[in-house]
Amino acid sequence: MALFRASYLERSLARLRFIATATSAGALAGFALGEMRIMDLPRAAQQAVALAGMCCVDARLRRHGLFRELERRAFMAAGLASGSRVLSCGRMAHPASFRTLTSNPTHVPKRHIRPTPWQQEIGAIIAQAYGVHDFDPETFVCVGSGTPIGYPRIEMDVRPEEWDVFAPVNRNRGDSLLGLCWFPDAPQGW
């Protein structure tokens, strides 16, 4: 609660059913919200979709894989078999968190590349699953409520070009960037 506005955390908990936590020496070391759902998407019926939510890891324990492990556990809590292909999704507040998707060549949005109509259509459906009321399919910006989310106060070691896709994100309005990628690979035509 010290890192995020309580109202944003409560809204996130209302959308995503599971939270995974980690402790270290009896103290909370990290948490991740998430859920795996089976959704009917255009050209991908009965598709496993991993919806990542907020994730926070104590600064002393970052860069050890805890973020990914917490998210994995939140996804698996639904007890759904993911099948051979998963669409992984998340709303990102900054480039450091977006790196979890940009390392995958199937990620959307990409710097200086307009999302295809199919990507835009799926993006709009996923934004709706997150409860986003105003989604820009050209930029993948989830328009905020008009007030800042209360972004975490962390130092970000990012390259200037990593901010490019975040240019239309208005953090003072509470915007975030929707990111998508496929594991292990994308369907043909993605």
PDB file of all heavy atoms in Angstrom, residues 112-148:
ATOM      1  N   HIS A 112       7.868   2.697 -33.449  1.00  0.00           N
ATOM      2  CA  HIS A 112       7.732   3.162 -34.832  1.00  0.00           C
ATOM      3  C   HIS A 112       6.997   2.185 -35.760  1.00  0.00           C
ATOM      4  O   HIS A 112       7.158   2.269 -36.969  1.00  0.00           O
ATOM      5  CB  HIS A 112       9.095   3.506 -35.428  1.00  0.00           C
ATOM      6  CG  HIS A 112       9.921   4.401 -34.571  1.00  0.00           C
ATOM      7  ND1 HIS A 112       9.515   5.659 -34.186  1.00  0.00           N
ATOM      8  CD2 HIS A 112      11.126   4.210 -33.989  1.00  0.00           C
ATOM      9  CE1 HIS A 112      10.450   6.215 -33.424  1.00  0.00           C
ATOM     10  NE2 HIS A 112      11.435   5.352 -33.281  1.00  0.00           N
ATOM     11  N   ILE A 113       6.232   1.238 -35.208  1.00  0.00           N
ATOM     12  CA  ILE A 113       5.471   0.296 -36.031  1.00  0.00           C
ATOM     13  C   ILE A 113       4.006   0.345 -35.593  1.00  0.00           C
ATOM     14  O   ILE A 113       3.692   0.088 -34.427  1.00  0.00           O
ATOM     15  CB  ILE A 113       6.016  -1.144 -35.912  1.00  0.00           C
ATOM     16  CG1 ILE A 113       7.468  -1.210 -36.406  1.00  0.00           C
ATOM     17  CG2 ILE A 113       5.133  -2.121 -36.686  1.00  0.00           C
ATOM     18  CD1 ILE A 113       8.128  -2.559 -36.232  1.00  0.00           C
ATOM     19  N   ARG A 114       3.146   0.670 -36.544  1.00  0.00           N
ATOM     20  CA  ARG A 114       1.711   0.753 -36.262  1.00  0.00           C
ATOM     21  C   ARG A 114       1.157  -0.660 -36.075  1.00  0.00           C
ATOM     22  O   ARG A 114       1.415  -1.546 -36.899  1.00  0.00           O
ATOM     23  CB  ARG A 114       1.004   1.442 -37.431  1.00  0.00           C
ATOM     24  CG  ARG A 114      -0.473   1.637 -37.240  1.00  0.00           C
ATOM     25  CD  ARG A 114      -1.052   2.376 -38.461  1.00  0.00           C
ATOM     26  NE  ARG A 114      -2.443   2.670 -38.272  1.00  0.00           N
ATOM     27  CZ  ARG A 114      -3.432   1.924 -38.770  1.00  0.00           C
ATOM     28  NH1 ARG A 114      -3.157   0.874 -39.513  1.00  0.00           N
ATOM     29  NH2 ARG A 114      -4.683   2.253 -38.545  1.00  0.00           N
ATOM     30  N   PRO A 115       0.374  -0.890 -35.015  1.00  0.00           N
ATOM     31  CA  PRO A 115      -0.238  -2.212 -34.849  1.00  0.00           C
ATOM     32  C   PRO A 115      -1.170  -2.520 -36.020  1.00  0.00           C
ATOM     33  O   PRO A 115      -1.857  -1.634 -36.538  1.00  0.00           O
ATOM     34  CB  PRO A 115      -1.033  -2.082 -33.546  1.00  0.00           C
ATOM     35  CG  PRO A 115      -0.389  -0.948 -32.811  1.00  0.00           C
ATOM     36  CD  PRO A 115       0.087  -0.004 -33.883  1.00  0.00           C
ATOM     37  N   THR A 116      -1.191  -3.781 -36.421  1.00  0.00           N
ATOM     38  CA  THR A 116      -2.066  -4.213 -37.508  1.00  0.00           C
ATOM     39  C   THR A 116      -3.523  -4.165 -37.025  1.00  0.00           C
ATOM     40  O   THR A 116      -3.785  -4.144 -35.811  1.00  0.00           O
ATOM     41  CB  THR A 116      -1.733  -5.649 -37.941  1.00  0.00           C
ATOM     42  OG1 THR A 116      -2.082  -6.552 -36.872  1.00  0.00           O
ATOM     43  CG2 THR A 116      -0.266  -5.797 -38.323  1.00  0.00           C
ATOM     44  N   PRO A 117      -4.477  -4.175 -37.947  1.00  0.00           N
ATOM     45  CA  PRO A 117      -5.886  -4.208 -37.527  1.00  0.00           C
ATOM     46  C   PRO A 117      -6.208  -5.378 -36.600  1.00  0.00           C
ATOM     47  O   PRO A 117      -6.975  -5.227 -35.648  1.00  0.00           O
ATOM     48  CB  PRO A 117      -6.653  -4.307 -38.861  1.00  0.00           C
ATOM     49  CG  PRO A 117      -5.754  -3.609 -39.838  1.00  0.00           C
ATOM     50  CD  PRO A 117      -4.357  -4.002 -39.410  1.00  0.00           C
ATOM     51  N   TRP A 118      -5.627  -6.556 -36.870  1.00  0.00           N
ATOM     52  CA  TRP A 118      -5.862  -7.719 -36.006  1.00  0.00           C
ATOM     53  C   TRP A 118      -5.294  -7.470 -34.605  1.00  0.00           C
ATOM     54  O   TRP A 118      -5.938  -7.763 -33.600  1.00  0.00           O
ATOM     55  CB  TRP A 118      -5.246  -8.953 -36.650  1.00  0.00           C
ATOM     56  CG  TRP A 118      -5.471 -10.253 -35.925  1.00  0.00           C
ATOM     57  CD1 TRP A 118      -6.546 -10.594 -35.154  1.00  0.00           C
ATOM     58  CD2 TRP A 118      -4.614 -11.379 -35.909  1.00  0.00           C
ATOM     59  NE1 TRP A 118      -6.413 -11.873 -34.672  1.00  0.00           N
ATOM     60  CE2 TRP A 118      -5.225 -12.382 -35.131  1.00  0.00           C
ATOM     61  CE3 TRP A 118      -3.382 -11.653 -36.504  1.00  0.00           C
ATOM     62  CZ2 TRP A 118      -4.650 -13.625 -34.914  1.00  0.00           C
ATOM     63  CZ3 TRP A 118      -2.819 -12.907 -36.292  1.00  0.00           C
ATOM     64  CH2 TRP A 118      -3.444 -13.877 -35.506  1.00  0.00           C
ATOM     65  N   GLN A 119      -4.088  -6.929 -34.526  1.00  0.00           N
ATOM     66  CA  GLN A 119      -3.491  -6.606 -33.228  1.00  0.00           C
ATOM     67  C   GLN A 119      -4.333  -5.570 -32.488  1.00  0.00           C
ATOM     68  O   GLN A 119      -4.537  -5.680 -31.274  1.00  0.00           O
ATOM     69  CB  GLN A 119      -2.066  -6.103 -33.427  1.00  0.00           C
ATOM     70  CG  GLN A 119      -1.120  -7.175 -33.923  1.00  0.00           C
ATOM     71  CD  GLN A 119       0.201  -6.630 -34.430  1.00  0.00           C
ATOM     72  OE1 GLN A 119       0.364  -5.435 -34.663  1.00  0.00           O
ATOM     73  NE2 GLN A 119       1.156  -7.523 -34.639  1.00  0.00           N
ATOM     74  N   GLN A 120      -4.830  -4.576 -33.212  1.00  0.00           N
ATOM     75  CA  GLN A 120      -5.673  -3.548 -32.595  1.00  0.00           C
ATOM     76  C   GLN A 120      -6.967  -4.147 -32.049  1.00  0.00           C
ATOM     77  O   GLN A 120      -7.402  -3.804 -30.948  1.00  0.00           O
ATOM     78  CB  GLN A 120      -5.993  -2.451 -33.606  1.00  0.00           C
ATOM     79  CG  GLN A 120      -4.794  -1.611 -33.971  1.00  0.00           C
ATOM     80  CD  GLN A 120      -5.134  -0.529 -34.985  1.00  0.00           C
ATOM     81  OE1 GLN A 120      -6.288  -0.162 -35.162  1.00  0.00           O
ATOM     82  NE2 GLN A 120      -4.108  -0.008 -35.648  1.00  0.00           N
ATOM     83  N   GLU A 121      -7.558  -5.056 -32.808  1.00  0.00           N
ATOM     84  CA  GLU A 121      -8.800  -5.700 -32.386  1.00  0.00           C
ATOM     85  C   GLU A 121      -8.587  -6.519 -31.115  1.00  0.00           C
ATOM     86  O   GLU A 121      -9.366  -6.437 -30.164  1.00  0.00           O
ATOM     87  CB  GLU A 121      -9.316  -6.578 -33.527  1.00  0.00           C
ATOM     88  CG  GLU A 121     -10.708  -7.103 -33.334  1.00  0.00           C
ATOM     89  CD  GLU A 121     -11.205  -7.912 -34.534  1.00  0.00           C
ATOM     90  OE1 GLU A 121     -10.443  -8.142 -35.505  1.00  0.00           O
ATOM     91  OE2 GLU A 121     -12.378  -8.326 -34.490  1.00  0.00           O
ATOM     92  N   ILE A 122      -7.518  -7.299 -31.101  1.00  0.00           N
ATOM     93  CA  ILE A 122      -7.225  -8.085 -29.898  1.00  0.00           C
ATOM     94  C   ILE A 122      -6.864  -7.163 -28.737  1.00  0.00           C
ATOM     95  O   ILE A 122      -7.296  -7.373 -27.599  1.00  0.00           O
ATOM     96  CB  ILE A 122      -6.125  -9.134 -30.180  1.00  0.00           C
ATOM     97  CG1 ILE A 122      -6.700 -10.247 -31.058  1.00  0.00           C
ATOM     98  CG2 ILE A 122      -5.558  -9.700 -28.874  1.00  0.00           C
ATOM     99  CD1 ILE A 122      -5.744 -11.358 -31.420  1.00  0.00           C
ATOM    100  N   GLY A 123      -6.088  -6.110 -29.002  1.00  0.00           N
ATOM    101  CA  GLY A 123      -5.754  -5.155 -27.954  1.00  0.00           C
ATOM    102  C   GLY A 123      -6.990  -4.558 -27.300  1.00  0.00           C
ATOM    103  O   GLY A 123      -7.062  -4.429 -26.071  1.00  0.00           O
ATOM    104  N   ALA A 124      -7.992  -4.208 -28.097  1.00  0.00           N
ATOM    105  CA  ALA A 124      -9.225  -3.632 -27.551  1.00  0.00           C
ATOM    106  C   ALA A 124      -9.968  -4.634 -26.663  1.00  0.00           C
ATOM    107  O   ALA A 124     -10.493  -4.270 -25.606  1.00  0.00           O
ATOM    108  CB  ALA A 124     -10.124  -3.155 -28.688  1.00  0.00           C
ATOM    109  N   ILE A 125      -9.981  -5.905 -27.057  1.00  0.00           N
ATOM    110  CA  ILE A 125     -10.642  -6.939 -26.259  1.00  0.00           C
ATOM    111  C   ILE A 125      -9.909  -7.132 -24.932  1.00  0.00           C
ATOM    112  O   ILE A 125     -10.529  -7.241 -23.870  1.00  0.00           O
ATOM    113  CB  ILE A 125     -10.733  -8.262 -27.053  1.00  0.00           C
ATOM    114  CG1 ILE A 125     -11.705  -8.097 -28.221  1.00  0.00           C
ATOM    115  CG2 ILE A 125     -11.136  -9.423 -26.147  1.00  0.00           C
ATOM    116  CD1 ILE A 125     -11.643  -9.217 -29.243  1.00  0.00           C
ATOM    117  N   ILE A 126      -8.582  -7.156 -24.992  1.00  0.00           N
ATOM    118  CA  ILE A 126      -7.795  -7.344 -23.769  1.00  0.00           C
ATOM    119  C   ILE A 126      -7.941  -6.130 -22.858  1.00  0.00           C
ATOM    120  O   ILE A 126      -8.084  -6.264 -21.634  1.00  0.00           O
ATOM    121  CB  ILE A 126      -6.316  -7.632 -24.101  1.00  0.00           C
ATOM    122  CG1 ILE A 126      -6.188  -8.937 -24.919  1.00  0.00           C
ATOM    123  CG2 ILE A 126      -5.472  -7.668 -22.834  1.00  0.00           C
ATOM    124  CD1 ILE A 126      -6.755 -10.182 -24.260  1.00  0.00           C
ATOM    125  N   ALA A 127      -7.933  -4.935 -23.427  1.00  0.00           N
ATOM    126  CA  ALA A 127      -8.128  -3.723 -22.619  1.00  0.00           C
ATOM    127  C   ALA A 127      -9.471  -3.786 -21.896  1.00  0.00           C
ATOM    128  O   ALA A 127      -9.570  -3.429 -20.714  1.00  0.00           O
ATOM    129  CB  ALA A 127      -8.032  -2.480 -23.497  1.00  0.00           C
ATOM    130  N   GLN A 128     -10.487  -4.255 -22.590  1.00  0.00           N
ATOM    131  CA  GLN A 128     -11.801  -4.389 -21.968  1.00  0.00           C
ATOM    132  C   GLN A 128     -11.756  -5.395 -20.815  1.00  0.00           C
ATOM    133  O   GLN A 128     -12.382  -5.202 -19.779  1.00  0.00           O
ATOM    134  CB  GLN A 128     -12.832  -4.809 -23.019  1.00  0.00           C
ATOM    135  CG  GLN A 128     -14.238  -4.809 -22.509  1.00  0.00           C
ATOM    136  CD  GLN A 128     -15.237  -5.121 -23.616  1.00  0.00           C
ATOM    137  OE1 GLN A 128     -14.925  -5.809 -24.586  1.00  0.00           O
ATOM    138  NE2 GLN A 128     -16.437  -4.610 -23.470  1.00  0.00           N
ATOM    139  N   ALA A 129     -11.003  -6.495 -20.981  1.00  0.00           N
ATOM    140  CA  ALA A 129     -10.868  -7.484 -19.899  1.00  0.00           C
ATOM    141  C   ALA A 129     -10.241  -6.862 -18.660  1.00  0.00           C
ATOM    142  O   ALA A 129     -10.540  -7.256 -17.532  1.00  0.00           O
ATOM    143  CB  ALA A 129     -10.039  -8.675 -20.376  1.00  0.00           C
ATOM    144  N   TYR A 130      -9.362  -5.875 -18.865  1.00  0.00           N
ATOM    145  CA  TYR A 130      -8.753  -5.161 -17.744  1.00  0.00           C
ATOM    146  C   TYR A 130      -9.669  -4.081 -17.179  1.00  0.00           C
ATOM    147  O   TYR A 130      -9.317  -3.410 -16.218  1.00  0.00           O
ATOM    148  CB  TYR A 130      -7.438  -4.505 -18.183  1.00  0.00           C
ATOM    149  CG  TYR A 130      -6.236  -5.429 -18.153  1.00  0.00           C
ATOM    150  CD1 TYR A 130      -5.628  -5.844 -19.334  1.00  0.00           C
ATOM    151  CD2 TYR A 130      -5.692  -5.861 -16.953  1.00  0.00           C
ATOM    152  CE1 TYR A 130      -4.522  -6.672 -19.320  1.00  0.00           C
ATOM    153  CE2 TYR A 130      -4.585  -6.691 -16.923  1.00  0.00           C
ATOM    154  CZ  TYR A 130      -4.001  -7.093 -18.107  1.00  0.00           C
ATOM    155  OH  TYR A 130      -2.898  -7.915 -18.085  1.00  0.00           O
ATOM    156  N   GLY A 131     -10.828  -3.858 -17.806  1.00  0.00           N
ATOM    157  CA  GLY A 131     -11.745  -2.836 -17.331  1.00  0.00           C
ATOM    158  C   GLY A 131     -11.424  -1.442 -17.831  1.00  0.00           C
ATOM    159  O   GLY A 131     -11.898  -0.452 -17.282  1.00  0.00           O
ATOM    160  N   VAL A 132     -10.624  -1.353 -18.897  1.00  0.00           N
ATOM    161  CA  VAL A 132     -10.254  -0.061 -19.469  1.00  0.00           C
ATOM    162  C   VAL A 132     -11.443   0.467 -20.273  1.00  0.00           C
ATOM    163  O   VAL A 132     -11.992  -0.240 -21.112  1.00  0.00           O
ATOM    164  CB  VAL A 132      -9.005  -0.206 -20.379  1.00  0.00           C
ATOM    165  CG1 VAL A 132      -8.712   1.085 -21.117  1.00  0.00           C
ATOM    166  CG2 VAL A 132      -7.814  -0.655 -19.553  1.00  0.00           C
ATOM    167  N   HIS A 133     -11.827   1.707 -20.016  1.00  0.00           N
ATOM    168  CA  HIS A 133     -12.975   2.303 -20.691  1.00  0.00           C
ATOM    169  C   HIS A 133     -12.583   3.110 -21.922  1.00  0.00           C
ATOM    170  O   HIS A 133     -13.420   3.380 -22.769  1.00  0.00           O
ATOM    171  CB  HIS A 133     -13.766   3.177 -19.722  1.00  0.00           C
ATOM    172  CG  HIS A 133     -14.315   2.395 -18.571  1.00  0.00           C
ATOM    173  ND1 HIS A 133     -15.336   1.474 -18.706  1.00  0.00           N
ATOM    174  CD2 HIS A 133     -13.966   2.358 -17.264  1.00  0.00           C
ATOM    175  CE1 HIS A 133     -15.601   0.922 -17.540  1.00  0.00           C
ATOM    176  NE2 HIS A 133     -14.780   1.440 -16.648  1.00  0.00           N
ATOM    177  N   ASP A 134     -11.332   3.511 -22.019  1.00  0.00           N
ATOM    178  CA  ASP A 134     -10.879   4.311 -23.151  1.00  0.00           C
ATOM    179  C   ASP A 134      -9.514   3.795 -23.587  1.00  0.00           C
ATOM    180  O   ASP A 134      -8.508   4.025 -22.920  1.00  0.00           O
ATOM    181  CB  ASP A 134     -10.803   5.790 -22.749  1.00  0.00           C
ATOM    182  CG  ASP A 134     -10.630   6.722 -23.935  1.00  0.00           C
ATOM    183  OD1 ASP A 134     -10.593   6.241 -25.087  1.00  0.00           O
ATOM    184  OD2 ASP A 134     -10.517   7.939 -23.706  1.00  0.00           O
ATOM    185  N   PHE A 135      -9.501   3.070 -24.699  1.00  0.00           N
ATOM    186  CA  PHE A 135      -8.294   2.442 -25.228  1.00  0.00           C
ATOM    187  C   PHE A 135      -8.004   3.016 -26.603  1.00  0.00           C
ATOM    188  O   PHE A 135      -8.898   3.110 -27.450  1.00  0.00           O
ATOM    189  CB  PHE A 135      -8.496   0.925 -25.323  1.00  0.00           C
ATOM    190  CG  PHE A 135      -7.377   0.182 -25.994  1.00  0.00           C
ATOM    191  CD1 PHE A 135      -6.157   0.031 -25.359  1.00  0.00           C
ATOM    192  CD2 PHE A 135      -7.539  -0.376 -27.262  1.00  0.00           C
ATOM    193  CE1 PHE A 135      -5.112  -0.673 -25.972  1.00  0.00           C
ATOM    194  CE2 PHE A 135      -6.516  -1.076 -27.877  1.00  0.00           C
ATOM    195  CZ  PHE A 135      -5.303  -1.214 -27.224  1.00  0.00           C
ATOM    196  N   ASP A 136      -6.755   3.397 -26.849  1.00  0.00           N
ATOM    197  CA  ASP A 136      -6.347   3.897 -28.160  1.00  0.00           C
ATOM    198  C   ASP A 136      -5.653   2.761 -28.906  1.00  0.00           C
ATOM    199  O   ASP A 136      -4.510   2.416 -28.590  1.00  0.00           O
ATOM    200  CB  ASP A 136      -5.406   5.088 -28.008  1.00  0.00           C
ATOM    201  CG  ASP A 136      -4.974   5.674 -29.344  1.00  0.00           C
ATOM    202  OD1 ASP A 136      -5.189   5.033 -30.398  1.00  0.00           O
ATOM    203  OD2 ASP A 136      -4.405   6.777 -29.339  1.00  0.00           O
ATOM    204  N   PRO A 137      -6.310   2.156 -29.908  1.00  0.00           N
ATOM    205  CA  PRO A 137      -5.721   1.009 -30.609  1.00  0.00           C
ATOM    206  C   PRO A 137      -4.506   1.365 -31.460  1.00  0.00           C
ATOM    207  O   PRO A 137      -3.738   0.480 -31.819  1.00  0.00           O
ATOM    208  CB  PRO A 137      -6.879   0.488 -31.476  1.00  0.00           C
ATOM    209  CG  PRO A 137      -7.780   1.650 -31.641  1.00  0.00           C
ATOM    210  CD  PRO A 137      -7.633   2.489 -30.416  1.00  0.00           C
ATOM    211  N   GLU A 138      -4.323   2.637 -31.785  1.00  0.00           N
ATOM    212  CA  GLU A 138      -3.150   3.062 -32.566  1.00  0.00           C
ATOM    213  C   GLU A 138      -1.879   3.056 -31.723  1.00  0.00           C
ATOM    214  O   GLU A 138      -0.799   2.762 -32.211  1.00  0.00           O
ATOM    215  CB  GLU A 138      -3.374   4.468 -33.136  1.00  0.00           C
ATOM    216  CG  GLU A 138      -4.471   4.559 -34.168  1.00  0.00           C
ATOM    217  CD  GLU A 138      -4.063   3.980 -35.510  1.00  0.00           C
ATOM    218  OE1 GLU A 138      -2.865   4.066 -35.864  1.00  0.00           O
ATOM    219  OE2 GLU A 138      -4.939   3.438 -36.194  1.00  0.00           O
ATOM    220  N   THR A 139      -2.022   3.424 -30.439  1.00  0.00           N
ATOM    221  CA  THR A 139      -0.856   3.554 -29.559  1.00  0.00           C
ATOM    222  C   THR A 139      -0.818   2.505 -28.455  1.00  0.00           C
ATOM    223  O   THR A 139       0.189   2.360 -27.772  1.00  0.00           O
ATOM    224  CB  THR A 139      -0.842   4.937 -28.897  1.00  0.00           C
ATOM    225  OG1 THR A 139      -2.014   5.071 -28.072  1.00  0.00           O
ATOM    226  CG2 THR A 139      -0.782   6.049 -29.929  1.00  0.00           C
ATOM    227  N   PHE A 140      -1.923   1.803 -28.234  1.00  0.00           N
ATOM    228  CA  PHE A 140      -2.098   0.838 -27.150  1.00  0.00           C
ATOM    229  C   PHE A 140      -2.087   1.513 -25.776  1.00  0.00           C
ATOM    230  O   PHE A 140      -1.788   0.899 -24.756  1.00  0.00           O
ATOM    231  CB  PHE A 140      -1.080  -0.303 -27.236  1.00  0.00           C
ATOM    232  CG  PHE A 140      -1.566  -1.462 -28.071  1.00  0.00           C
ATOM    233  CD1 PHE A 140      -2.093  -1.266 -29.332  1.00  0.00           C
ATOM    234  CD2 PHE A 140      -1.510  -2.751 -27.606  1.00  0.00           C
ATOM    235  CE1 PHE A 140      -2.563  -2.320 -30.108  1.00  0.00           C
ATOM    236  CE2 PHE A 140      -1.968  -3.822 -28.375  1.00  0.00           C
ATOM    237  CZ  PHE A 140      -2.496  -3.601 -29.632  1.00  0.00           C
ATOM    238  N   VAL A 141      -2.451   2.786 -25.738  1.00  0.00           N
ATOM    239  CA  VAL A 141      -2.556   3.509 -24.472  1.00  0.00           C
ATOM    240  C   VAL A 141      -3.918   3.236 -23.843  1.00  0.00           C
ATOM    241  O   VAL A 141      -4.954   3.370 -24.504  1.00  0.00           O
ATOM    242  CB  VAL A 141      -2.347   5.027 -24.668  1.00  0.00           C
ATOM    243  CG1 VAL A 141      -2.702   5.794 -23.402  1.00  0.00           C
ATOM    244  CG2 VAL A 141      -0.898   5.303 -25.055  1.00  0.00           C
ATOM    245  N   CYS A 142      -3.882   2.847 -22.588  1.00  0.00           N
ATOM    246  CA  CYS A 142      -5.086   2.712 -21.776  1.00  0.00           C
ATOM    247  C   CYS A 142      -5.228   4.044 -21.045  1.00  0.00           C
ATOM    248  O   CYS A 142      -4.436   4.355 -20.144  1.00  0.00           O
ATOM    249  CB  CYS A 142      -4.933   1.577 -20.769  1.00  0.00           C
ATOM    250  SG  CYS A 142      -4.669  -0.036 -21.538  1.00  0.00           S
ATOM    251  N   VAL A 143      -6.211   4.829 -21.479  1.00  0.00           N
ATOM    252  CA  VAL A 143      -6.385   6.175 -20.934  1.00  0.00           C
ATOM    253  C   VAL A 143      -6.869   6.072 -19.493  1.00  0.00           C
ATOM    254  O   VAL A 143      -7.802   5.315 -19.186  1.00  0.00           O
ATOM    255  CB  VAL A 143      -7.360   6.993 -21.798  1.00  0.00           C
ATOM    256  CG1 VAL A 143      -7.584   8.374 -21.215  1.00  0.00           C
ATOM    257  CG2 VAL A 143      -6.837   7.091 -23.229  1.00  0.00           C
ATOM    258  N   GLY A 144      -6.229   6.824 -18.622  1.00  0.00           N
ATOM    259  CA  GLY A 144      -6.531   6.782 -17.201  1.00  0.00           C
ATOM    260  C   GLY A 144      -7.790   7.542 -16.824  1.00  0.00           C
ATOM    261  O   GLY A 144      -8.490   8.111 -17.664  1.00  0.00           O
ATOM    262  N   SER A 145      -8.050   7.581 -15.545  1.00  0.00           N
ATOM    263  CA  SER A 145      -9.258   8.192 -15.008  1.00  0.00           C
ATOM    264  C   SER A 145      -9.153   9.700 -14.832  1.00  0.00           C
ATOM    265  O   SER A 145     -10.125  10.346 -14.477  1.00  0.00           O
ATOM    266  CB  SER A 145      -9.583   7.569 -13.647  1.00  0.00           C
ATOM    267  OG  SER A 145      -8.540   7.876 -12.728  1.00  0.00           O
ATOM    268  N   GLY A 146      -7.976  10.249 -15.051  1.00  0.00           N
ATOM    269  CA  GLY A 146      -7.785  11.681 -14.866  1.00  0.00           C
ATOM    270  C   GLY A 146      -6.908  12.014 -13.677  1.00  0.00           C
ATOM    271  O   GLY A 146      -6.512  13.158 -13.498  1.00  0.00           O
ATOM    272  N   THR A 147      -6.604  11.021 -12.877  1.00  0.00           N
ATOM    273  CA  THR A 147      -5.713  11.239 -11.733  1.00  0.00           C
ATOM    274  C   THR A 147      -4.569  10.235 -11.808  1.00  0.00           C
ATOM    275  O   THR A 147      -4.756   9.101 -12.262  1.00  0.00           O
ATOM    276  CB  THR A 147      -6.446  11.060 -10.382  1.00  0.00           C
ATOM    277  OG1 THR A 147      -7.033   9.758 -10.345  1.00  0.00           O
ATOM    278  CG2 THR A 147      -7.529  12.103 -10.194  1.00  0.00           C
ATOM    279  N   PRO A 148      -3.389  10.645 -11.352  1.00  0.00           N
ATOM    280  CA  PRO A 148      -2.244   9.723 -11.378  1.00  0.00           C
ATOM    281  C   PRO A 148      -2.530   8.462 -10.580  1.00  0.00           C
ATOM    282  O   PRO A 148      -3.257   8.486  -9.588  1.00  0.00           O
ATOM    283  CB  PRO A 148      -1.118  10.532 -10.745  1.00  0.00           C
ATOM    284  CG  PRO A 148      -1.539  11.952 -10.853  1.00  0.00           C
ATOM    285  CD  PRO A 148      -3.039  11.947 -10.810  1.00  0.00           C
TER     286      PRO A 148
END
